[in-house]
């Protein structure tokens, strides 16, 4: 059943989370930090929408979660990419690329 | 799915707290103070509570969404298997509905208390005849008075005798079944008035103002339950009578009365020991047992027999507990039907469970895939249970319709002999019973298999360690036994239905001796409206002429006694003149007064001599006609011209036999014709006054019934008409009990047959589904579809044969219980047994053929590849 993820920003956030988790399992705060870091602080994650997004992705079975201990030895909820999520990441990345190219093409018209 | 929301909430909270602490730590590292770091962390997060709420909402919509998804999934998968869905719905719907209906009857007729005070202390009293074997005779007044005086165990006695009373309502007068009762009648039974009062001694005084008591039903039907009626007068038998009170509906002896009036015993009646025409009841003294009461009554009855050997030698007395008198037959029927329908329900649940298992086994692969994709055991159980709940909901709706239908049908078609069935209505109880039973059957037939299936899907196929094999031995034996039991039960019931059908066929094949079709009849008592005998006879003549003039009427006549209306029978002693009477011999015949035209209207044959004409009147020589049964029995040669001395509703006179008519069945199809003598109404005794008018039409008799009544009221507006119906209806009524038994038993039989066929079908489908792999291998190794089909058919037919054999053995015993309903049909009637066996085998064959064909159409490649 399709989730209501037509919102382009939300869709983008999902993609960023999946990409971030494709390197290593991480907790919510770590994911936010990592996205900010990698985008050189261009992408500021609205932290309030991060956790609902994580919940949704888990329900789609694209990511799964477990309780582990963080770098500073605190109990934290970690997320990891499932096989299904990895597949989705591939197709979503492809879709994003096509979308970005198309937007570029349109903007390039003088 | 997490079903512990508090735990889930706590997890979210902990996760968010961790986030905030990490954020604050980062801020601290950047040089903020402890407080600032925390505040900044909160600010950048933008509302912890809002996020928590948002996640909780997501989870809630998820639960509804899951349910909707289960429903949609269930709907899709059921639409792919309409035969399965339909079988389940019909099986459960029928079984649950029938059981709910039976419970409704048990509650309404048996569990509802009787209106009597301490009914366990009340007995009804009957005379028994040791010589003739009659066990429930009405009571003669002199014997009753002796019991009353000589027994010591009873507190009080009550007496009632059947009577019709003509009651005026508006401009119509109706003849209402009435009981004339003794003073203590209601007190003995323990019936208290719901309004007004009971009879008191002064109501029995000679010259007292006439008073009546109404039953509640008649009070409501005739007077709208008007309380103001009590204390006012109504017209009874043409005279005013005061309505003293209203009593609850109760039926304690033979008839259901609308009105009660005081009973006056005349001196002559008080000494009669041979006329049995009253009904008696008695109330035991406190502490007296029924056994003691029977002993005391027997002692007194033997005493009376010694004192009056000529009338009472063979007569004894019998006391039956009130509850048994009123509800005995009803209770036996309802308990049998209730037990039977419970049995059917259990079988139906077992069948539906077996069907669900069979279907589930075929879906193992689908379930296994779902499990491997991460569906939990609970999730799968939920999904299967949702599917079965959908089926059960549909079945419950069907069951409610079936239950209501059965209740309405049974209560409106119940024969009068089965008391209180007609009082039962559908209502909250039926609905409640249906729902509870449906819920119960859902648990039994839906949830259990769902668990078993889910486990099957998990353990066998997910791990892939064990290939699904056939059924285990125990399972196979249980299911096989279930199927055999069902087929046996179905055969049993159908045999009963078959024998009853044959009986009714044979009964209705009997020649009635008259033709009821197209004949309408109305019954009247003319004494009160036409008290003068001569005037009455001329009224009969003119009113019959008026009827003959009505359009469509081809013949009309009247008779003091009508076939299939035993209430009008009369019997009298007679003597054939010139033939010596043997000592002690007493000859009796039915005596009937008829008018010219009666024999023609009824299409009775005149075998010898002539019928009556208008010339046979009071002034001409007395003439009579006898039937063939009388001629055979009492005359060696032709009776024509001989003289018979007898009284026909008057003092004895001498009649010359002028004709012989064909025999007619008198009260029902089964009874052999009995000797009967006919005389003209115009010559009959002064008591001839209760007459049945009959008229024959070439078209439909039903409208003629009303037309005849209108004609009578045109001539005598105050005339009461007690029975108005078509002759065919009267004849059909005599078969009511047999037909009712037939319908009930064949209804159950058909349900049982349906169940056993779905049971067989379900079991074979299950076996087939579990043995797919084996069949695939066999086919790959060269087995043809034909041999596979034969394999499964053989299994089905073996079970069917076992069931039929068991059913035949048990039915030999069962049909003996039906003996009282059977006529001229042995329990081993070959036509009935053959027909029933053939039907059962044929249905079993069909039920095995379908799964056999399906498995034989299997493509071995696909099965083996899938493995």
């Amino acid at each position: 059943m399709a989730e209501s993820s037509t919102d382009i920003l939300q869709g983008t956030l999902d993609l960023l989370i999946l990409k971030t988790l494709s390197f290593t399992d991480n907790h919510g705060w770590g994911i936010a930090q990592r996205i900010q870091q990698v985008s050189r602080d261009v992408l500021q994650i609205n932290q309030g929408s991060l956790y609902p997004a994580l919940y949704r992705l888990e329900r789609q079975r694209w990511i799964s979660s477990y309780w582990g201990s963080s770098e500073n030895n605190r109990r934290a909820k970690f997320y990891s990419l499932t096989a299904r999520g990895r597949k989705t990441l591939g197709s979503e990345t492809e879709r994003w690329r096509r979308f970005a190219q198309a937007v570029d093409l349109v903007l390039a018209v003088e | 799915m997490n079903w512990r929301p508090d735990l889930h909430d706590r997890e979210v909270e902990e996760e968010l707290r961790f986030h905030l602490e990490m954020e604050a730590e980062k801020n601290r590292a950047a040089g903020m103070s402890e407080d600032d770091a925390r505040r900044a962390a909160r600010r950048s997060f933008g509302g912890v509570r809002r996020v928590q709420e948002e996640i909780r909402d997501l989870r809630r919509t998820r639960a509804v969404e899951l349910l909707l998804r289960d429903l949609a999934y269930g709907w899709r998968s059921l639409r792919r298997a309409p035969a399965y869905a339909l079988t389940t719905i019909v099986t459960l719907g029928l079984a649950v509905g029938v059981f709910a209906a039976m419970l409704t009857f048990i509650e309404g007729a048996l569990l509802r208390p009787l209106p009597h005070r301490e009914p366990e202390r009340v007995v009804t009293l009957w005379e028994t005849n040791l010589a003739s074997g009659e066990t429930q005779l009405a009571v003669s007044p002199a014997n009753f008075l002796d019991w009353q005086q000589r027994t010591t165990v009873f507190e009080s006695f009550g007496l009632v005798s059947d009577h019709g009373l003509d009651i005026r309502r508006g401009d119509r007068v109706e003849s209402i079944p009435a009981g004339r009762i003794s003073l203590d009648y209601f007190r003995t039974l323990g019936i208290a008035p719901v309004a007004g009062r009971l009879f008191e001694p002064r109501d029995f005084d000679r010259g007292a103002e006439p008073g009546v008591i109404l039953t509640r039903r008649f009070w409501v039907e005739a007077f709208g339950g008007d309380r103001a009626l009590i204390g006012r007068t109504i017209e009874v038998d043409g005279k005013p009578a005061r309505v003293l009170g209203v009593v609850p509906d109760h039926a304690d002896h033979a008839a259901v009365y609308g009105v009660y009036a005081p009973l006056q015993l005349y001196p002559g009646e008080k000494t009669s020991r041979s006329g049995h025409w009253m009904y008696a009841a008695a109330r035991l003294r406190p502490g007296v047992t029924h056994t003691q009461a029977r002993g005391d009554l027997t002692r007194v009855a033997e005493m009376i027999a010694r004192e009056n050997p000529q009338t009472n030698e063979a007569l004894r007395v019998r006391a039956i507990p009130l509850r048994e008198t009123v509800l005995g037959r009803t209770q036996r029927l309802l308990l049998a039907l209730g037990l039977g329908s419970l049995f059917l329900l259990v079988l139906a649940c077992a069948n539906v469970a077996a069907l669900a298992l069979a279907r589930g086994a075929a879906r193992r692969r689908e379930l296994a895939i779902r499990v491997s994709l991460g569906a939990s055991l609970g999730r799968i159980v939920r999904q299967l249970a949702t599917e079965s709940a959908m089926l059960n909901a549909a079945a419950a709706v069907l069951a409610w319709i079936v239950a209501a239908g059965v209740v309405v049908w049974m209560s409106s078609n119940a024969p009068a002999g089965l008391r209180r069935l007609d009082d039962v209505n559908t209502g909250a109880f039926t609905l409640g019973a249906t729902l509870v039973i449906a819920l119960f059957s859902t648990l039994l037939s839906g949830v259990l298999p769902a668990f078993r299936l889910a486990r099957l899907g998990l353990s066998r196929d997910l791990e892939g360690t064990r290939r699904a094999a056939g059924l285990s031995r125990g399972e196979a034996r249980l299911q096989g036994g279930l199927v055999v039991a069902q087929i046996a039960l179905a055969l049993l019931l159908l045999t009963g239905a078959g024998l009853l059908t044959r009986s009714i066929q044979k009964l209705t094949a009997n020649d009635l001796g008259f033709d009821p079709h197209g004949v309408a009849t109305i019954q009247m008592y003319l004494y009160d409206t036409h008290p003068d005998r001569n005037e009455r006879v001329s009224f009969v003549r003119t009113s019959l002429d008026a009827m003959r003039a009505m359009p469509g009427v081809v013949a009309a006549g009247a008779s003091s006694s009508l076939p299939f209306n035993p209430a009008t029978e009369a019997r009298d002693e007679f003597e054939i003149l010139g033939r010596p009477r043997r000592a002690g011999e007493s000859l009796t015949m039915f005596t009937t007064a008829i008018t010219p035209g009666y024999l023609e209207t009824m299409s009775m044959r005149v075998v010898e001599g002539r019928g009556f004409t208008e010339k046979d009147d009071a002034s001409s020589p007395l003439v009579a006609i006898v039937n063939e049964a009388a001629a055979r029995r009492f005359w060696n040669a032709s009776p024509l011209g001989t003289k018979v001395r007898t009284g026909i509703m008057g003092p004895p006179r001498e009649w010359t036999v002028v004709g012989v008519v064909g025999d007619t069945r008198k009260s029902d199809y089964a009874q052999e014709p009995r000797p009967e003598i006919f005389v003209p109404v115009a010559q009959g005794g002064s008591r001839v006054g209760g007459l049945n008018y009959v008229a024959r039409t070439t078209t439909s008799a039903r409208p003629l019934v009303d037309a005849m009544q209108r004609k009578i009221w045109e001539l005598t507006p105050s005339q009461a008409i007690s029975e108005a119906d078509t002759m065919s209806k009267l004849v059909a009524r005599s078969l009511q009990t047999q037909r009712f038994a037939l319908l009930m038993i064949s209804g159950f039989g058909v349900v049982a047959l349906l169940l056993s066929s779905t049971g067989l079908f379900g079991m074979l489908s299950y076996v087939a589904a579990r043995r797919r792999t084996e069949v695939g291998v066999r086919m790959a190794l060269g087995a043809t579809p034909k041999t596979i089909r034969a394999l499964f058919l053989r299994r089905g037919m073996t079970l069917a044969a076992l069931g039929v054999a068991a059913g035949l053995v048990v039915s030999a015993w069962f049909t003996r219980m039906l003996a009282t309903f059977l006529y001229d049909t042995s329990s081993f009637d070959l036509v009935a047994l053959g027909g029933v066996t053939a039907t059962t085998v044929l249905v079993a064959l069909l039920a095995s053929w379908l799964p056999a064909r399906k498995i034989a159409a299997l493509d071995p490649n696909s099965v083996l590849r899938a493995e």
Side-chain angles (χ1 to χ4, degrees):
Chain A
M1 198 155 286
E3 299 285 338
S4 58
S5 58
T6 46
D7 177 12
I8 191 164
L9 283 175
Q10 191 192 326
T12 314
L13 177 60
D14 290 355
L15 184 57
L16 294 174
I17 294 171
L18 292 178
K19 182 68 186 175
T20 310
L21 287 174
S22 71
F23 302 111
T24 174
D25 297 358
N26 212 337
H27 43 73
W29 186 77
I31 294 168
Q33 295 306 308
R34 180 115 182 114
I35 291 173
Q36 252 165 282
Q37 223 173 16
V38 173
S39 69
R40 299 182 196 105
D41 289 338
V42 172
L43 297 174
Q44 289 284 343
I45 299 298
N46 175 1
Q47 298 175 352
S49 57
L50 173 67
Y51 287 92
L54 284 170
Y55 181 84
R56 258 197 317 273
L57 290 175
E58 187 177 2
R59 206 169 66 197
Q60 306 266 53
R61 302 188 201 294
W62 290 344
I63 60 177
S64 59
S65 68
Y66 56 91
W67 287 90
S69 75
S70 68
E71 313 82 85
N72 51 4
N73 265 332
R74 284 224 189 99
R75 213 167 100 80
K77 195 173 182 185
F78 281 82
Y79 294 90
S80 71
L81 201 61
T82 64
R84 232 169 133 180
R86 199 167 293 280
K87 228 189 279 172
T88 309
L89 175 61
S91 61
E92 286 299 298
T93 311
E94 180 58 31
R95 234 182 66 181
W96 173 259
R97 293 232 166 90
R98 277 210 309 273
F99 174 72
Q101 275 170 12
V103 173
D104 273 353
L105 283 174
V106 172
L107 295 179
V109 174
E110 289 290 318
Chain B
M1 192 68 214
N2 193 336
W3 285 106
R4 287 161 295 182
D6 46 337
L7 179 71
H8 204 281
D9 279 350
R10 252 184 285 131
E11 285 199 351
V12 172
E13 208 180 311
E14 189 177 348
E15 188 179 13
L16 297 185
R17 197 166 55 232
F18 169 76
H19 183 105
L20 290 174
E21 278 168 17
M22 291 298 281
E23 191 74 17
E25 208 163 286
K26 192 179 106 185
N27 292 343
R28 260 198 313 277
M32 288 192 195
S33 72
E34 180 70 31
D35 278 3
D36 285 349
R38 283 190 184 282
R39 222 170 292 130
R42 280 192 181 278
R43 208 168 35 244
S44 76
F45 197 86
V48 176
R49 182 144 307 184
R50 194 181 54 77
V51 172
Q52 277 178 323
E53 284 295 324
E54 201 175 323
I55 291 177
R56 200 177 295 147
D57 281 354
L58 277 172
R59 210 171 61 232
R60 282 214 192 102
T61 51
R62 173 101 174 125
V64 175
E65 202 177 87
L66 274 180
L67 180 64
L68 287 177
R69 195 191 295 184
D70 280 345
L71 288 176
Y73 180 85
W75 173 247
R76 276 201 310 276
S77 74
L78 288 179
R79 268 192 36 186
R80 279 200 303 271
Y84 163 75
L86 204 70
T87 313
T88 302
I89 292 171
V90 170
T91 304
L92 283 180
L94 279 177
V96 171
V98 169
F99 187 52
M102 293 310 131
L103 284 189
T104 305
F105 276 103
I106 288 174
E107 194 270 340
L110 299 184
L111 301 185
R112 212 159 36 91
L114 292 170
H116 310 71
R117 179 176 60 87
E118 295 180 277
E120 66 284 350
R121 279 174 58 200
V122 181
V123 293
T124 56
L125 300 176
W126 308 85
E127 296 201 63
T128 62
N129 189 325
L130 302 177
S132 69
E134 286 161 297
T135 56
Q136 209 164 325
L137 279 170
V139 172
S140 68
N143 291 343
F144 173 81
L145 292 173
D146 277 344
W147 302 339
Q148 194 169 11
Q149 276 155 24
R150 298 184 181 187
T151 56
T152 56
V153 290
F154 297 108
E155 188 177 278
S156 67
F157 285 80
L159 205 54
V160 58
S161 96
D162 279 342
H163 249 275
L165 288 177
D166 293 349
I167 291 185
R168 175 180 292 279
R169 281 158 63 190
D171 55 356
R172 287 281 155 80
V173 177
E174 252 182 305
S175 183
I176 304 298
R180 289 200 177 268
I181 57 175
S182 63
L183 175 61
D184 282 332
Y185 178 72
F186 285 125
R187 266 171 283 271
T188 300
L189 288 172
I191 294 282
V194 292
R197 64 170 177 91
L198 301 178
F199 290 129
E200 286 167 9
R202 60 189 153 99
D203 299 314
F204 288 81
D205 292 343
R206 298 242 177 256
E209 181 193 40
V212 292
I213 290 173
L214 311 182
T215 59
R216 177 197 280 275
R217 185 180 294 184
F218 179 65
W219 179 47
V220 169
E221 273 171 16
F223 303 103
D226 179 14
R227 281 195 169 259
L229 186 76
I230 292 147
R232 290 223 299 261
T233 57
I234 57 174
E235 190 187 308
V236 177
D237 277 355
K239 287 177 267 314
R242 199 166 293 283
V243 177
L244 301 176
V246 177
V247 290
D249 301 311
H250 65 114
D252 302 318
H253 289 96
V256 179
Y257 303 117
V259 191
Y260 292 95
L263 170 74
Q264 306 282 4
L265 278 183
Y266 299 101
E269 290 173 333
K270 282 186 181 169
T271 55
S272 166
R273 291 190 191 275
S274 51
H276 298 267
W277 47 276
M278 313 184 91
Y279 299 100
R283 175 171 286 268
L284 297 172
R285 286 185 196 286
V288 173
T289 66
H290 285 266
T291 320
Q292 284 170 327
R294 274 195 297 273
D296 199 32
L297 278 169
T298 308
R299 178 184 65 81
V300 171
E302 280 167 357
M303 215 147 74
I304 303 171
R306 273 196 302 278
E307 292 163 14
N308 308 281
Q310 70 283 19
T311 51
N312 278 47
E313 190 173 7
L315 290 184
R316 293 295 179 274
V317 57
R318 180 171 173 219
I320 304 177
L322 179 73
R323 195 184 154 79
E324 168 69 20
T325 319
V326 179
L327 288 176
R329 288 182 62 178
T330 309
Q331 179 163 332
R332 277 188 286 279
L333 177 81
L334 286 182
L335 289 186
L337 293 180
L339 216 64
S341 56
L342 178 64
F343 194 46
L344 286 184
L345 179 66
V346 171
L347 290 180
C349 285
N351 283 349
V352 168
L355 269 179
L357 277 176
R359 181 171 145 73
R363 288 164 74 192
R364 264 176 324 155
R365 200 156 304 280
E366 174 200 337
L367 296 180
I369 290 169
R370 293 171 59 80
V371 169
S372 71
L373 284 180
S376 64
L377 175 66
R379 188 80 193 79
I380 298 269
V381 170
R382 252 167 54 92
Q383 204 150 63
L384 294 174
T386 308
E387 208 179 291
S388 104
M390 287 169 76
L391 288 177
N392 278 281
V397 173
L398 178 66
W400 162 235
I401 296 169
V402 169
V406 170
V407 169
V408 168
W409 184 87
M410 250 178 89
S411 65
S412 52
N413 285 280
L418 294 169
R419 290 286 160 66
R420 270 185 149 195
L421 288 188
D422 56 343
D423 277 349
V424 175
N425 300 310
T426 60
F429 184 87
T430 315
L431 184 61
T434 307
L435 289 180
V436 170
I437 301 165
L439 198 69
F440 194 69
S441 66
T442 305
L443 288 178
L444 219 62
S445 67
V447 176
L448 292 183
F451 265 105
R452 183 162 161 64
L453 277 180
R455 211 164 298 134
L456 261 183
L458 276 179
S459 64
R460 300 257 163 98
D461 297 86
L462 174 65
E463 295 158 18
T465 50
R466 236 192 97 186
R467 227 182 279 118
L471 290 91
S472 77
R473 246 165 178 253
E475 255 180 336
R477 217 173 268 158
L478 182 69
Q479 286 212 331
L482 209 62
V483 168
V484 169
Q486 292 181 56
I487 293 175
L489 176 72
L491 187 97
L492 189 72
L493 291 168
L494 289 176
T495 305
L499 292 178
L500 282 170
T501 310
R502 292 280 291 164
S503 291
I504 290 177
Q505 267 176 7
K506 285 190 176 170
L507 278 172
T508 50
N510 282 340
D511 182 16
L512 291 175
F514 65 93
D515 177 14
H517 303 288
V519 175
T521 163
I522 57 174
Q523 186 186 346
M524 296 176 289
Y525 293 90
L526 300 172
Y527 322 95
D528 298 327
T529 42
H530 302 277
D532 179 69
R533 193 185 165 277
N534 291 331
E535 194 269 333
R536 187 155 72 229
V537 168
S538 77
F539 171 77
V540 171
R541 184 178 297 188
T542 50
S543 55
L544 281 175
D545 281 342
M547 292 199 178
R548 291 186 188 107
M550 287 183 350
V553 173
V554 291
S559 163
S560 63
S561 156
L562 205 58
F564 289 80
N565 189 355
T568 60
E569 280 176 7
R571 249 202 283 202
D572 225 322
E573 290 195 351
F574 75 97
E575 184 187 345
I576 298 170
L577 295 186
R579 214 192 80 172
R581 199 143 80 124
R582 269 164 293 206
E585 184 191 48
S586 129
L587 299 176
T588 62
M589 267 198 283
F590 282 105
T591 52
T592 305
I594 61 174
T595 68
Y598 174 75
L599 298 178
E600 292 83 341
T601 310
M602 298 293 278
S603 297
M604 287 164 67
R605 280 175 309 123
V606 176
V607 183
E608 244 184 297
R610 64 172 179 92
F612 298 136
T613 69
E614 299 292 353
K615 287 187 196 105
D616 300 314
D617 60 15
S619 58
S620 61
L622 300 181
V623 289
I625 296 173
V626 295
N627 69 357
E628 285 183 297
R632 262 196 315 273
R633 175 112 167 253
F634 302 122
W635 281 270
N636 297 321
S638 166
L640 290 194
T642 53
K643 286 196 168 183
V644 176
R645 183 181 169 79
T646 182
I648 309 263
M649 286 154 255
R653 284 176 291 166
E654 287 169 18
W655 311 79
T656 309
V657 177
V658 295
V660 177
V661 291
D663 292 333
T664 55
R665 306 259 161 184
K666 198 72 179 143
S667 57
D668 59 46
Y669 273 107
Q671 203 175 55
E672 285 306 312
R674 286 180 294 178
E676 185 167 10
I677 186 166
F678 301 89
V679 302
V681 166
Q683 297 181 342
S686 58
R687 279 189 278 136
V688 175
L691 284 178
N692 302 278
Y693 277 43
V694 288
R696 174 175 290 281
T697 170
T698 45
T699 57
S700 164
R702 187 62 246 178
L704 185 57
V705 176
D706 298 330
M708 285 169 78
Q709 297 191 71
R710 278 196 302 275
K711 181 59 75 184
I712 289 294
W713 286 324
E714 216 173 88
L715 299 171
T716 316
S718 66
Q719 180 62 52
I721 294 172
S722 54
E723 182 126 37
D725 220 327
T726 64
M727 201 61 219
S728 309
K729 248 325 220 329
L730 287 186
V731 171
R733 204 169 54 186
S734 75
L735 289 175
Q736 207 185 18
T737 312
Q738 273 107 330
R739 283 198 203 279
F740 188 74
L742 171 67
L743 272 161
M744 292 314 296
I745 290 184
S746 38
F748 271 63
V750 169
V751 172
L753 187 64
L754 274 176
L755 283 184
S756 61
S757 59
T758 55
L760 187 58
F761 174 82
M763 198 214 64
L764 285 180
S765 302
Y766 184 54
V767 175
R770 298 290 301 269
R771 286 172 69 179
R772 271 169 67 92
T773 316
E774 180 207 323
V775 168
V777 173
R778 278 175 186 244
M779 288 175 94
L781 292 179
T784 61
K786 212 172 158 187
T787 55
I788 297 295
R789 209 157 47 217
L791 185 74
F792 279 85
L793 277 182
R794 200 156 50 232
R795 172 117 175 98
M797 295 322 285
T798 308
L799 292 176
L802 281 173
V804 166
L808 285 178
V809 171
V810 185
S811 77
W813 160 81
F814 170 72
T815 47
R816 222 171 300 153
M817 298 201 318
L818 275 179
T820 51
F821 292 106
L822 296 184
Y823 171 78
D824 198 20
T825 306
S826 103
S827 304
F828 296 101
D829 187 89
L830 285 180
V831 178
L833 286 182
V836 166
T837 306
T839 311
T840 311
V841 170
L842 219 72
V843 170
L845 191 64
L846 184 69
S848 331
W849 175 260
L850 292 175
R853 197 189 58 176
K854 198 171 161 201
I855 186 86
L858 194 70
D859 173 15
N861 285 326
S862 73
V863 176
L864 297 178
R865 213 173 22 245
E867 290 297 321

